[in-house]
Amino acid sequence: MKFLITGSKGLLGSEFDRIIENDKLSLSRQELDITAFENVYKVVKEYKPDIIINCSAISNVDYCEVNQNVAFLVNAIGVENLLKCAIEFNIFLVHFSTDYVFDGNKKEPYKISDIPNPINVYGKSKLKGEEIILNSGYEKYLIIRTSWLFGNGKSSLVDKIISLSKNEIIYMTEQISNPTYAKDLAIKVLDMIKKGYFGLFHLTGSLSVSRYELARFILEKIGYKGKIVKVDSFPSIAKRPNYSALNNFPLEPLRDYKTAILEFLRY
Ligand SMILES: NC(=O)c1ccc[n+]([C@@H]2O[C@H](COP(=O)([O-])OP(=O)(O)OC[C@H]3O[C@@H](n4cnc5c(N)ncnc54)[C@H](OP(=O)(O)O)[C@@H]3O)[C@@H](O)[C@H]2O)c1
């Protein structure tokens, strides 16, 4: 099987790039801009992948809020470009979406059957990307909604919490979701592809946690002696859902964040 990985220098893309050893073409944003249809078409036609793994996205939530056009261009039109090529060359398309397609008003993990209602531009643009695939009628796809990724590829919430440890007081919100180790996610998705899964799924680490509790867990492990204070919210450009944990049924969730973070921190 031949893989085309887009956004290969991102947090998740770099995991796929590391794990897939052979028969792959890994392209960063600089090497393939998914918003340029002609370029996407040319690469796909020449390389003839069996599978496209789309890890490209504008994932910075505040950036999306003030750059709505760019967010929709990459997170929706870019997806459409890949989909058109997938359809023309009969390629399986793997795409990632987010817990932020939900509004956060629920008190229990969101199921696949729950109706999305994004409250920020990032969530809206990601939902549009999903809809483009879902409404196309093409069946050779996997859409994986995931949440709070961390890993070696790029700085994440976990790295941000560690970087705050130089402060005497740290403020964290009670926003809740499931931290997900990018490496675990990539391994599982490759297994799903091999086993012939298709459709829309939720796939995250098994435990949900607030940012506050997550910070306590990580900072305790690295010997932080300062104070961690709970706050309702921070002033931010984009609104975030207060609660966006995902129910992974019918899949088994990935490793819980505690085990995965200890491995990530090499404890
Ligand atoms: N990170 C999370 O917590 C999280 C949570 C839920 C879902 N997700 C989803 O998971 C997927 C992977 O996210 P991630 O955390 O790996 O994001 P990421 O680290 O921001 O990686 C995204 C990659 O896409 C690239 N990119 C941006 N615009 C592009 C374009 N026009 N053409 C090609 N590549 C482009 C970026 O390049 P530059 O860095 O050069 O801009 C970056 O390398 C995304 O679909 C995201 O929405 C992420």
Side-chain angles (χ1 to χ4, degrees):
M1 270 194 297
K2 282 166 75 179
F3 293 88
L4 170 63
I5 305 165
T6 65
S8 67
K9 291 269 187 329
L11 181 43
L12 186 57
S14 57
E15 288 297 341
F16 280 106
D17 182 41
R18 200 177 50 77
I19 293 165
I20 301 172
E21 288 178 358
N22 304 309
D23 294 327
K24 64 169 180 195
L25 179 61
S26 296
L27 298 175
S28 66
R29 176 192 197 146
Q30 284 68 30
E31 292 159 328
L32 180 64
D33 179 344
I34 63 163
T35 67
F37 179 73
E38 302 294 318
N39 296 350
V40 176
Y41 188 88
K42 187 165 177 279
V43 166
V44 172
K45 192 175 176 198
E46 277 171 15
Y47 185 63
K48 297 190 181 62
D50 301 291
I51 296 169
I52 296 172
I53 302 184
N54 178 31
C55 296
S56 317
I58 301 292
S59 63
N60 182 321
V61 178
D62 288 331
Y63 176 88
C64 286
E65 206 64 21
V66 285
N67 297 278
Q68 183 158 342
N69 291 348
V70 185
F72 276 88
L73 188 61
V74 178
N75 294 342
I77 303 301
V79 178
E80 188 169 32
N81 290 340
L82 293 169
L83 176 71
K84 280 182 187 161
C85 295
I87 293 172
E88 175 153 346
F89 298 104
N90 193 30
I91 297 164
F92 192 79
L93 177 62
V94 180
H95 177 62
F96 293 90
S97 190
T98 170
D99 53 332
Y100 279 20
V101 297
F102 295 112
D103 59 21
N105 293 332
K106 257 187 104 175
K107 300 279 179 281
E108 59 183 44
Y110 282 91
K111 299 178 189 160
I112 293 172
S113 55
D114 286 321
I115 309 290
N117 182 31
I119 58 171
N120 57 38
V121 170
Y122 170 67
K124 287 177 186 163
S125 66
K126 293 297 295 182
L127 180 61
K128 185 74 190 161
E130 289 185 8
E131 287 170 350
I132 285 170
I133 299 174
L134 295 171
N135 296 336
S136 71
Y138 191 58
E139 288 188 349
K140 293 182 70 173
Y141 75 89
L142 252 183
I143 299 174
I144 305 285
R145 287 189 190 134
T146 190
S147 59
W148 290 12
L149 289 179
F150 65 93
N152 293 304
K154 200 169 161 183
S155 184
S156 68
L157 174 60
V158 170
D159 303 275
K160 186 176 169 205
I161 289 171
I162 294 168
S163 75
L164 289 172
S165 64
K166 54 184 180 301
N167 301 343
E168 277 174 29
I169 303 180
I170 295 172
Y171 299 93
M172 295 303 287
T173 66
E174 291 194 89
Q175 213 186 310
I176 292 173
S177 195
N178 305 63
T180 304
Y181 195 15
K183 173 182 138 185
D184 292 352
L185 179 63
I187 290 171
K188 173 78 177 187
V189 168
L190 289 173
D191 185 55
M192 290 172 72
I193 295 169
K194 219 185 283 170
K195 291 183 172 147
Y197 281 79
F198 66 96
L200 170 66
F201 294 93
H202 289 174
L203 188 54
T204 65
S206 65
L207 290 178
S208 57
V209 65
S210 69
R211 285 180 182 243
Y212 169 76
E213 288 297 342
L214 180 66
R216 276 178 43 133
F217 174 76
I218 294 169
L219 293 167
E220 190 182 293
K221 293 289 171 231
I222 62 171
Y224 177 67
K225 296 280 180 280
K227 210 171 154 190
I228 311 170
V229 177
K230 242 186 248 179
V231 292
D232 284 344
S233 63
F234 285 121
S236 64
I237 299 169
K239 278 196 276 181
R240 268 94 170 148
N242 287 329
Y243 181 93
S244 55
L246 298 178
N247 178 331
N248 284 211
F249 183 81
L251 300 177
E252 279 299 314
L254 303 167
R255 268 191 295 180
D256 67 275
Y257 73 87
K258 293 185 178 177
T259 318
I261 286 176
L262 290 185
E263 181 185 300
F264 173 67
L265 297 174
R266 295 203 166 76
Y267 269 79

